Amino acid sequence: MAAQLPIPVFTSLDQAFPDLQTAAVQGVRYKEVVEEYEKRFGHKPTYIARAPGRVNLIGEHIDYVLFGAFPAAIERDILIACGPSLPSSTSGAAETLTVGGVRAENLNPKYAPQTFAPMLKTAGPSAQEEADAASTVHAESAWHLDINTRELRWESYIKAGYYGVLSRFFPAALAETDKQAHPVPVDLLFTGSVPSGSGLSSSAAMVVASTLAFLTVNNKLDGVTKGSLVEMAMENEKRVGVNSGGLDQAASVICTPHSALYVTFYPKLDAELIPLPTPRTSPRAVFVCANSLVVSDKVVSAKWHYNLRVVETLVGARVLANKLGITLGPNERPTFRVILSRWLGAPESGLDADGLKVGIERFLPEVEKLRPPREGRPAGEEGVTLDEMVELSGLSKEQFHKVYLSWVEVETEYFQLYKRARHVFTEALRVIEFREVCLRANAASGELPEDTLVKLGELMDQSHESCSTLCESSCPEVDALCRLAKSAGAFGSRITGAGWGGCTVSLVAEDKVGEFIQKVKEGYEPYRALEGEKLREAIFATKPSAGAFGELFVALLLDMCSCWGQ
């Protein structure tokens, strides 16, 4: 299985990027980060750790109810040049040569240099630590680093990556008695091409790359599989307040060139590599990511947006279980995926994709039981009030609040249980159908017909319509971008990521990309003034993990750049 494979380690750029054109382009970039590292720290880096962003091709807002999704790694990535700090380092050496000390800098001047060090916990929490407990995450380990989750800074993601390495590989008993068990001081230089806040998982890429950097510099990479790195990165990202289900990390770690992942979450996290047909279709196709430039402040808007969707789906699962005669305990909080399995009488080990498809198709008519009566509510309103929702749950107000509202803040007049359920089950079905199209294409020989792209595009269009009207996780600007993409020739276009802004992903013929981007630029008002690099940051084509971009770690020969970028 892909998750059991070791983390790839390369010793030259042509191993990491088999396509010579890609290797030449990346060679210039790697050369820049290596040379700048030496200027800043006074010595050459030992390694470059790399983690790509990801685009979710289909399967939005269903991972937290434990249905599968279909992400792919993208060519945009985070690079970290890294190595042990040396006494001859330039300014900052005194700080970084403390036990496990870190000096982190970024090629982007927007991000200020940072110096910090972990501390061994030899006593209980200080008064200041207790006072900050509500907003600071502390490691449940021998080591301590502050991460203020109320004001996330770029170094917060570095610290999050460091925590997992400290906790797993530097236990307290050894650290207190054996200096060899201490983490080494580290110099890090970051550069990245994943747009932040765009829904392409720049934060997950930062945490994955940081985790890899600390593993490699401390010689702890042996025995670490792709699956264990996913688990570490998931746990690490929780330290910045992100309760991830593993979708982003799995895509960033496990994907391979020209493939996507069918990621499932029930009864446990699993990932299946699925070859994409796009390199063999006529015409060949790529995915184009377009940033709406609308940023949704997830902290501020969560009670109306993301957190509300989570609560609506969880309550919807209980209400539907009641209507189907499925008995639940008063403290249970099952998801739609769990209710489906209980209704089907499926074993806890779960169903394969074919069995799940049949099960969803059988179950879909039952979702209509969540549609409320029209009497007594505004025309067209399909939601229920809080009082109605509590009554439908079969719980007392006190128990309902304990199970569904005590841990999260939400705010709305009408809770859309029916719409959210309809989105979840139809989207889960589309993910399986997308997978089927890819597998049928992979089983066929020779060049693939354009109809393959048409079928994938239709599923993407249906997904966006559902996200916009049933999940209601889109926004006018994203809807406009999808319409523009279709009119500009895309086979399909949809929102990707958490939503309420962020990016769209469109399936486009490779030989039409330039024309496509120009048409979108002319039609989307926020793009009209963008030129050059600013436009390329906003809208760009990508091949999933093309040129081995799914490989996450590159061992750096000290003269690796001598033949590139000259």
Side-chain angles (χ1 to χ4, degrees):
M1 296 294 290
Q4 302 307 313
L5 295 174
I7 307 301
V9 177
F10 301 113
T11 56
S12 66
L13 278 176
D14 57 350
Q15 290 178 334
F17 307 104
D19 178 77
L20 292 180
Q21 182 178 0
T22 302
V25 172
Q26 290 298 320
V28 175
R29 188 167 171 238
Y30 277 58
K31 182 174 185 289
E32 178 188 14
V33 74
V34 169
E35 291 179 346
E36 190 63 29
Y37 183 99
E38 188 170 9
K39 288 179 185 177
R40 298 190 185 203
F41 298 115
H43 61 95
K44 292 181 182 293
T46 310
Y47 301 100
I48 289 182
R50 173 189 178 272
R54 70 96 185 97
V55 59
N56 196 23
L57 301 180
I58 197 164
E60 224 64 72
H61 281 274
I62 61 174
D63 57 330
Y64 51 77
V65 298
L66 304 184
F67 279 109
F70 209 83
I74 61 174
E75 293 172 314
R76 301 292 181 103
D77 60 16
I78 301 292
L79 296 182
I80 309 176
C82 53
S85 299
L86 301 178
S88 59
S89 295
T90 56
S91 63
E95 290 87 348
T96 59
L97 285 177
T98 58
V99 172
V102 176
R103 185 183 182 198
E105 298 198 12
N106 201 306
L107 287 184
N108 188 335
K110 173 182 176 181
Y111 304 108
Q114 299 294 325
T115 301
F116 57 88
M119 294 183 294
L120 267 175
K121 289 183 176 179
T122 57
S126 66
Q128 184 61 48
E129 288 174 339
E130 291 180 339
D132 292 342
S135 61
T136 303
V137 178
H138 300 295
E140 296 176 1
S141 70
W143 301 91
H144 170 83
L145 277 169
D146 283 331
I147 301 176
N148 190 328
T149 58
R150 290 181 180 173
E151 186 184 0
L152 289 178
R153 298 160 56 91
W154 79 281
E155 70 272 15
S156 299
Y157 299 95
I158 309 172
K159 292 177 180 179
Y162 202 3
Y163 255 136
V165 178
L166 291 169
S167 301
R168 185 170 296 200
F169 294 98
F170 296 96
L174 288 177
E176 292 177 357
T177 60
D178 182 2
K179 295 298 183 183
Q180 297 299 316
H182 286 170
V184 300
V186 179
D187 292 330
L188 306 173
L189 180 60
F190 288 73
T191 186
S193 56
V194 186
S196 61
S198 63
L200 299 177
S201 296
S202 59
S203 60
M206 272 287 288
V207 173
V208 170
S210 296
T211 304
L212 268 177
F214 289 114
L215 283 170
T216 53
V217 173
N218 284 283
N219 295 315
K220 301 296 183 182
L221 195 61
D222 287 349
V224 176
T225 64
K226 290 187 175 186
S228 58
L229 179 58
V230 170
E231 292 172 355
M232 287 181 66
M234 285 172 58
E235 187 62 31
N236 289 348
E237 198 161 353
K238 289 179 182 178
R239 299 186 184 279
V240 291
V242 178
N243 291 305
S244 171
L247 173 71
D248 301 342
Q249 295 82 2
S252 185
V253 173
I254 300 175
C255 278
T256 59
H258 306 302
S259 295
L261 280 185
Y262 175 53
V263 183
T264 53
F265 303 92
Y266 184 82
K268 63 179 181 178
L269 179 67
D270 196 18
E272 176 189 11
L273 278 169
I274 305 292
L276 289 166
T278 47
R280 295 173 49 215
T281 54
S282 179
R284 293 185 179 182
V286 296
F287 293 96
V288 176
C289 299
N291 191 342
S292 67
L293 305 180
V294 175
V295 178
S296 175
D297 189 325
K298 294 179 177 61
V299 175
V300 173
S301 66
K303 63 182 178 181
W304 304 297
H305 292 162
Y306 191 89
N307 288 351
L308 179 59
R309 299 303 179 275
V310 173
V311 169
E312 288 171 326
T313 57
L314 288 172
V315 176
R318 173 173 282 274
V319 173
L320 194 52
N322 290 344
K323 291 180 178 292
L324 295 173
I326 298 172
T327 302
L328 298 177
N331 293 314
E332 280 192 88
R333 198 166 62 204
T335 66
F336 279 129
R337 178 65 181 84
V338 173
I339 296 303
L340 173 65
S341 282
R342 293 189 187 180
W343 184 80
L344 292 171
E348 193 67 21
S349 58
L351 302 165
D352 62 16
D354 293 336
L356 183 59
K357 179 183 179 182
V358 172
I360 293 173
E361 289 172 337
R362 285 179 53 200
F363 191 81
L364 265 173
E366 305 297 334
V367 172
E368 294 301 312
K369 290 182 169 65
L370 286 175
R371 192 193 291 268
R374 295 181 179 179
E375 296 79 13
R377 66 192 72 246
E381 180 57 64
E382 294 185 305
V384 296
T385 64
L386 177 59
D387 288 342
E388 288 175 317
M389 188 166 65
V390 172
E391 182 179 353
L392 288 167
S393 74
L395 301 174
S396 67
K397 286 186 177 181
E398 293 75 15
Q399 185 66 16
F400 183 91
H401 183 273
K402 174 185 174 183
V403 175
Y404 291 105
L405 298 178
S406 62
W407 49 276
V408 67
E409 183 182 5
V410 297
E411 184 178 312
T412 188
E413 183 177 2
Y414 288 97
F415 293 81
Q416 304 294 335
L417 308 187
Y418 168 71
K419 283 185 175 182
R420 308 309 181 234
R422 187 78 190 171
H423 168 74
V424 164
F425 285 99
T426 57
E427 184 77 347
L429 194 58
R430 283 186 287 271
V431 171
I432 297 172
E433 291 171 347
F434 199 96
R435 172 184 177 273
E436 287 178 346
V437 173
C438 293
L439 290 177
R440 284 197 299 270
N442 190 51
S445 58
E447 192 173 74
L448 299 170
E450 185 179 62
D451 185 58
T452 301
L453 300 175
V454 171
K455 290 176 180 176
L456 294 177
E458 287 174 349
L459 290 168
M460 294 173 70
D461 290 341
Q462 293 166 16
S463 173
H464 181 74
E465 178 67 17
S466 184
C467 286
S468 182
T469 62
L470 294 177
C471 186
E472 297 176 298
S473 57
S474 187
C475 66
E477 293 85 353
V478 169
D479 289 342
L481 266 179
C482 286
R483 289 193 299 270
L484 275 170
K486 290 291 292 182
S487 65
F491 291 100
S493 185
R494 62 179 297 277
I495 191 171
T496 186
W500 299 284
C503 273
T504 64
V505 57
S506 303
L507 183 60
V508 179
E510 187 172 14
D511 61 355
K512 301 290 186 182
V513 166
E515 177 184 337
F516 173 85
I517 290 176
Q518 183 60 33
K519 287 181 178 179
V520 174
K521 178 183 185 295
E522 292 170 358
Y524 189 56
E525 196 278 332
Y527 284 1
R528 290 173 189 163
L530 300 182
E531 299 291 345
E533 188 59 32
K534 288 189 179 297
L535 181 63
R536 287 189 290 272
E537 287 179 1
I539 181 169
F540 57 89
T542 185
K543 297 176 182 177
S545 299
F549 273 82
E551 315 298 359
L552 300 177
F553 178 74
V554 181
L556 179 67
L557 293 182
L558 296 183
D559 61 349
M560 63 174 284
C561 295
S562 61
C563 58
W564 301 102
Q566 299 298 323

